[in-house]
Amino acid sequence: MHTEGIGLTEAEWQVMEVLWERAPLSGREMSEIMAKRMGWNRSTTLTMLRRMEAKGAVAADMGEPKQFRPKIAREDAALRETESFLDRVYHGSVRMMVSAMTEKQALSKTEIDELYAMLRELEEGNNRD
């Protein structure tokens, strides 16, 4: 199944964080964790897992007990969310986003150095093409 376009709700992110950290997990294990983290009951957790399985974000191995694991990598989900946010809020403009972020809060010298390093790497990569 193609998982590139899968968007996650806030609640689904909570489930995925657990799975990225600790998968594979049974429904019982997930229910216990989500009860502690989110106050969810077993039914809520299992319903969420079934929905996420249907949309392709989670896979369930058919053993006993059924084991759940993520079908999408955290990095892929984060990139999709970032691209969606950038498109929705800043019309795809990284410049507008960085400008807005730096306008309201001062960056530390370390953060500025990190940004310069990332830009140099990007520039070097573009010059190789």
Side-chain angles (χ1 to χ4, degrees):
M1 174 175 275
H2 188 60
T3 59
E4 194 173 292
I6 295 174
L8 300 173
T9 66
E10 185 62 36
E12 290 170 341
W13 267 98
Q14 297 297 322
V15 171
M16 293 301 289
E17 288 291 349
V18 172
L19 290 174
W20 287 321
E21 291 169 16
R22 302 177 59 181
L25 292 169
S26 69
R28 179 180 302 278
E29 291 168 324
M30 280 298 300
S31 294
E32 290 170 2
I33 293 167
M34 297 313 290
K36 289 177 187 169
R37 286 193 182 188
M38 303 293 293
W40 293 356
N41 63 35
R42 181 173 170 80
S43 176
T44 300
T45 300
L46 295 178
T47 298
M48 182 68 68
L49 286 167
R50 279 192 298 275
R51 286 182 186 163
M52 293 174 72
E53 186 178 8
K55 78 190 284 187
V58 170
D61 301 325
M62 292 303 164
E64 273 302 318
K66 191 184 248 188
Q67 299 283 308
F68 294 91
R69 61 179 171 77
K71 281 186 73 174
I72 54 178
R74 187 181 201 303
E75 296 78 17
D76 294 337
L79 180 59
R80 191 212 175 279
E81 286 294 317
T82 301
E83 289 171 342
S84 174
F85 172 78
L86 189 62
D87 287 343
R88 191 175 62 253
V89 177
Y90 295 103
H91 306 288
S93 172
V94 173
R95 186 196 63 74
M96 283 176 58
M97 182 183 73
V98 171
S99 176
M101 298 301 287
T102 57
E103 192 174 296
K104 294 294 180 188
Q105 70 181 37
L107 296 176
S108 69
K109 171 125 175 58
T110 301
E111 291 170 321
I112 292 169
D113 291 343
E114 289 171 353
L115 278 172
Y116 275 127
M118 288 186 330
L119 291 170
R120 279 191 295 276
E121 286 177 24
L122 181 62
E123 184 177 50
E124 288 170 8
N126 287 340
N127 287 337
R128 284 187 225 137
D129 294 337

